[in-house]
Structure formats: C-alpha cells, structure tokens
Amino acid sequence: MINQYIQENKERFLSELMDLLKIPSVSADPKFNDDVKATAEFLKKRFTELGVDRVDIIETKGHPVVYAEKIIDASLPTVLVYGHYDVQPADPIELWHSGPFEPVIKKTEIHPEGAIFARGACDDKGQMYMHLKAFEAMLKTDSLSCNAKFIIEGEEEVGSENLETFISEFKEMLTADVILVSDTGMIANDVPSITSGLRGLSYVEVEVVGPNRDLHSGLYGGAVANPINILADMIASLQDENKHITIPGFYDDVLECSSDERAEMAKAPFSEEAYCKALDIAETDGEKGFSTLERATIRPTLDVNGIWGGYIGEGAKTVLPSKANAKISMRLVPNQDPEKITALFQKHFESIAPESVKVSVTPHHGGEPALTPVDSLEYKAASLAMEESFGKKPIPVRSGGSIPIISMFEKVLGLKTILLGFGLDSDAIHSPNEHYGLYNYYKGIETIPLFYKHYAAIKK
Ligand code: BES
Ligand code: MN
Ligand code: MN
C-alpha cells in the first residue's frame, strides 16, 4: 500500500527534490543568506502542504531552523527527525561537469539507474527530503505509526553553533523518544549498514609570524627565520614515523575499540585495491598497526586542511614571507573532548615554536564524537527496517565524519540517535560533482516508514 503510493508519486518526489537543490543554501558564505532563507521558506511550504499540525521557521542568531510536527496520538512514541538544509560551498566550481545548483540526472558505474548531480544532493538535502516524502507516504496511506517532529537546520556545515542553544531553549517542544537522522552513508547498495558511531572534531587555525615585512630572499634568506619553513617543520613534527600524533596527552582519553569490535569491523567488505583505484593513489597511508577502515573511523587524526603564505602569483618573486598560516583539523574518537584536545594542541604548538617566530593558535568550531549502542531498542528497529527493505541484515559500522549536534541531543534531550544514512562514500559529498543515487533516494523513502513501524512495535 505505502510502497504503491511511493511508486505512484515517484516522479513528483524527484522533481520536488530537484527544485530544492536549485536553491544555493551555502551557509558559510553571507552572499547566500537570502538563498538560505528561501530554502527554509521552501521547506515550510512543503510541510504545510503535507498537513502537519504545526510548522515554523524559528530564527536563531545565525540561519533559521525549520520546525514541524504532527502528533497523531499522545500515547504513541515520537520520532524526532533531524536534518540540515544548508550545503557546503561549491568551489572549486570549474571542476563541476554541470552547474552545482542546476541538478541533472546521469548514470554512473555505481548508480546504473541514475544519480542526481548537485551540491547537497546527498549531503543533506536529498537525504533530509526523503523524510518529508516518507512522512507524506505514511500520512496519505494512513500508516503513520508514531508521532513525528522535524528539526531541519541551516548551520550544520558551519558547526551547528546556534542549534545547541535552540535545543536547550525548546527542550519541551522537542520531547520525543528517539532521534532519526539520514546524514551518513552505507557500505554499498547491496551491502546495507547502519552507522553506530561518528568522530568528533577539533579545528584550529595557526599563524606563524617572523619579520615585520616580507623580505628579499637573497639579502635575508638564510639569516632570518622563514615562517613558512618553520610552519612546515612544526606541522611535520606533529606526527612521528608511525603516523602517531605527538601532542602530549592526545591519546589519553581515547576509548580503544575492543578486539572483538575490530574483528567485527574487519568482516565488512573492503577492497584496498578498489579504494586506491577510486582515488588514483598508489597506496594508502596512516597510523601503523591499523587497517585503512580503522584509520578512517575509529582512530583520531590530525590533518592540515589548508596552508598559505608568501608569493603564490604568476612566475617567481624572490621573497621571504613575513607570515604563514594553516588550518588544521583533528578528528576525535569517543571519549576525547574537543575543548581539551584544542587546549592540548595550543599548548604544544606554542611550546615547539622557536624563539625566532611568534605563533598564535585560534580555535574554530568543534564537535563531540557520538556512539549508538548496537544492542539498543532503537538500533534494533533500524536494523529490522533495513533488513526488510534490503532483504539483508545491515552491518553496524563506525563512520569517520562528524555531526556535532548528535552528542548534544543526548546531553540536552537525553535521546539516542539512529543514523540511518543512504549515501555512498563515492557520492563525492563536499567535493565537485556531488551526487545521490535515485535508488538510494527511493530506498530511503521506503525504509524510513519501516523504521517507524518497527519502532512503534518494539516500544509497545
Ligand atoms: N553529513 C556530514 C557528516 C558525515 C558524512 C558523517 C558522511 C558520516 C558520513 C556532515 O554534513 C558534515 O560534513 N559534517 C562536518 C562537520 C563539521 C562542519 C563541524 C564534517 O564531518 O566535516
Ligand atoms: Mn551532512
Ligand atoms: Mn557535510
């Protein structure tokens, strides 16, 4: 019945998503503020058409939150759906094969039935919109088995800084039994999986200042400390020859994965060769003693995200720069505290600076790691839902990405989150030519109602 409804409305479900993807809701760049607003308005309209009891655009200090709810029976459990309508900047724009905000459908090797190419197609407009359409299908076929609340925010890609205040302020309104999020991935279209953990994030910007002006690199080179050379040395020293991070205390709070859990992880299908081939690299690289999958999910990391300074224009300009900068991210694992790690970084980075330069560290937004126990009722409902729609039991996997608000849901609202994601690593989120499989979009719309169904049954 519900699947028939989805089948019959397939085309419209897709064209609505296409319209949503046309609005460039880039949260990081104030140039797009009006578009961000328009995206919130777009969602409000769609919720209104669905016949929710309530839908509001709620202002924050930053971009607004779209909130909607439908309470069908106070004695039923309530599912609180979280998603984000903001997207990453599209740059570098010249690497897109079609406009980032002009969605097109193309077939790919991994998505033979077609994928929709646009910024936000997978992260997170496509995955978030599945929830509206799944909700529509349940409502229209009289099969909504839980109350539903939705928080769709516009600042996830910039750290969800105002959402924490929002959920504290609207704690009463957000009363629910479980949080449901589709903003992660699964292993492959024929290998369903559920994300059981996310990494946290500590993000800093560093500046190394040498002489009070750029100098002639012939007259001064060799005698005056070069901030770029120094920055490069300092960054290099943050990892040893085993790619172990050298910041004192960095690993102190790491909750190590048990050998049983690591053995379980190793069962997930993974080809090192295919991984390298997809990225055009000869081999992988990372912390000694851990597999590629482990390095990317259950181990903390330190990566330079950007580095600049000196002359980068045409031709050669012989200059010894006065300044060098870098942005550095550290992905954290359960039990590591982003504020503590940022403080450890700052202290260490300042302590290794030579006298010849001045160093400063500016912290940016961070986020805490998250874990969903695989033996919880919520997880069981998600697992049954996936098993029913994919015909295969999903594998629990940890993911390397971060969604800062998830740990706040637990702290402030006392709720566990189910990360029911349908994206693939190859969907190029945050990269040029981001896309989302049509199979994944429709499979998500089919699976979500099954979660409501199994969750309501388990809670009875
Ligand atoms: N949806 C992603 C996070 C993600 C993607 C988790 C795939 C697991 C699998 C989210 O939108 C994101 O990009 N998060 C940022 C957080 C940051 C901006 C604070 C990240 O992980 O870099
Ligand atoms: Mn996302
Ligand atoms: Mn993202």
Side-chain angles (χ1 to χ4, degrees), residues 84 88 123 156-157 430:
H84 62 95
Q88 284 275 322
D123 184 11
E156 197 279 339
E157 298 293 6
H430 294 207

Side-chain angles (χ1 to χ4, degrees), residues 27-85:
S27 51
D29 186 345
K31 201 169 81 206
F32 295 99
N33 281 357
D34 287 348
D35 298 297
V36 170
K37 234 190 172 118
T39 311
E41 297 286 353
F42 177 99
L43 290 171
K44 183 179 173 182
K45 263 200 208 127
R46 300 289 89 79
F47 273 119
T48 308
E49 290 163 4
L50 290 178
V52 292
D53 301 336
R54 169 181 175 186
V55 55
D56 282 308
I57 294 180
I58 304 178
E59 293 301 328
T60 70
K61 277 194 190 138
H63 300 305
V65 173
V66 181
Y67 177 75
E69 64 176 43
K70 178 89 186 172
I71 310 295
I72 47 166
D73 178 347
S75 68
L76 288 176
T78 301
V79 175
L80 175 54
V81 173
Y82 162 82
H84 62 95
Y85 67 81

